[in-house]
Amino acid sequence: MPLALSKPFIPGWYDLGPFVAECWLIGTLIAVLLVPFVRRRANLACAAVAVLGMGGALVSMLIVGVPVTDAGKPPLGGILIMDPFALMWKALLLMTAIAVVLLWLATSAAQVKEGDGPEFFVLVVGATLGMALMASTTNLLMLFMAVELASLPSYVLAGFRKTHRPGAEAALKYVLFGAACSAIMVFGLTYLYGMFGTLDLGTIAQRVTAGEGSAALLTVAVTGIIVGVGAKVSAAPLHFWCPDVFEGAGVEVAAFLSVASKGAALALLLRVALTLADAVGFVATPGTTALAIGLGSMGVLTMTWGNTAALAQTNVKRLLAYSSIAHAGYMLCALSLLIGRPGAAPVDALTGTSAAAQALLFYLAVYVFMNVGAFAAAGVVARATGSEDLSALAGLGRRSPVLAASMLLCLLSLIGLPPLAGFMAKVNLWVALAASGGWWWWLVAAIAVNTVVSLAYYARVIKVMYLEGAVGGAGGQAGAGGQGSAAGTAAFSGHPIGTALAVGSAGVLVLMFVLTGPLGRLMTDYAKLRGVGGGGV
């Protein structure tokens, strides 16, 4: 009897509509690859195609929104999820990726060999696609594929400056460290699949609640996932790759990894943690309590390590690398909001609004602009002076007042001072943690202490910009560290695109502070994860 051939699955708009942004990114990848066939000097053309493609992805996604779907027949068989949380993260991610391309034009475009541009933008768009998928799945196989799709291009981007020896060494360290952490994550994922015979994390969580599975093996599995994803967050003690990679990579790549890579990993880790906690109704079981305390403790360790290590840095990109590690620690504390108490449930049972998701989205929205602005200003200075050392910023307040003012506002926001959005991001996080009471007050205190510590190294950068090089004649003013620096006296006109990015980011930070109320309500509306808290969308 001949074998019956099943009808192949051909996705239609019902399946692909919710993921229109990913479809645009795939189309952009193809378009970038085709540009060299129609233009000999393809670098700038590929940059334009990448910006237009990612801009189209952003606009189309916002137009489509989150379509209403049949709960019994999820799109693409449920391997991908589209909900308000994923929509907001993808919007922030695409804005970051577009800013990174513009930053490349302002900093590295002149040094990139003609013909290398298509490779660079394929890697950027490919990594962006993986980071978009990371926030949209609880399927174990898709989870691993999304992490690797984001990671593999990132490894190449870290060493893309082919003649820059420190960049090549840092990229090799990144590859080895990332591969080891990915192997540990796969080890944990295989335990989950082996115990329960399903790839769906929600089903696994429900069966764990029913008493199935070994507690010891579950601990190993969840630890493996945290190690694999935590390395992308650069959470301590998995952060060792971060400072070297940031120093060795181009400033646009450092900005991309600082914002996009960390944000995607945090979004994925939040979805995994909330899915596990939702299965037990967000009550304080031994498992959920251990997970919440573990994430909170990792956040405290990460922020403390990042802030204390930053105190000794003299390279601007290394300093910003440790700063990004510290901010990853702050955001990890939000992920600890997995268990509640009467009157302070971490997830609203009616709407599915998550306190952790709201605090994370609010912080990420602010983090995008203060980091992009700081890296843009640092990149413009590095291009003008040929140095990435802190001394290159000496006298910036007189040499380029607009750029210095923008850098100042971004740094003050990174500290968390008013009247800037960084202050409101930390206040919003404090309020969310304090509402849960109990041991979360220790996290509030840890964030406050670390904020004071961070003031020291951010203030050092501000001091160099406005006070160093202020005494003496031309060419003899004191640079950073007390050494003479001609760079501290020469005025320069920064690249217009880089300067516009820095100024625009600083302006948005002020605007976000003024519009804190609407911004908070917007993030609350989008802090909803499909199927979490009994709400759904």
Side-chain angles (χ1 to χ4, degrees), residues 396-423:
L396 187 64
R398 291 185 301 105
R399 295 154 58 203
S400 182
V402 173
L403 192 62
S406 301
M407 183 69 159
L408 171 65
L409 291 176
C410 291
L411 293 175
L412 293 178
S413 187
L414 285 166
I415 296 171
L417 297 178
L420 294 158
F423 171 73

Side-chain angles (χ1 to χ4, degrees), residues 240-266:
F240 293 106
W241 62 271
C242 186
D244 290 338
V245 169
F246 277 36
E247 183 179 8
V251 67
E252 71 285 347
V253 174
F256 185 62
L257 296 178
S258 172
V259 178
S261 182
K262 286 180 171 56
L266 286 164

Side-chain angles (χ1 to χ4, degrees), residues 13-14 16-19 61 64-70 75 82 530 537:
W13 177 251
Y14 179 83
L16 297 179
F19 310 104
M61 181 184 67
V64 173
V66 183
V68 178
T69 55
D70 182 0
M82 187 59 176
R530 186 179 295 277
V537 291

Side-chain angles (χ1 to χ4, degrees), residues 411 415 454-464:
L411 293 175
I415 296 171
S454 71
L455 180 61
Y457 61 86
Y458 289 124
R460 183 156 53 94
V461 179
I462 297 170
K463 173 178 176 288
V464 169

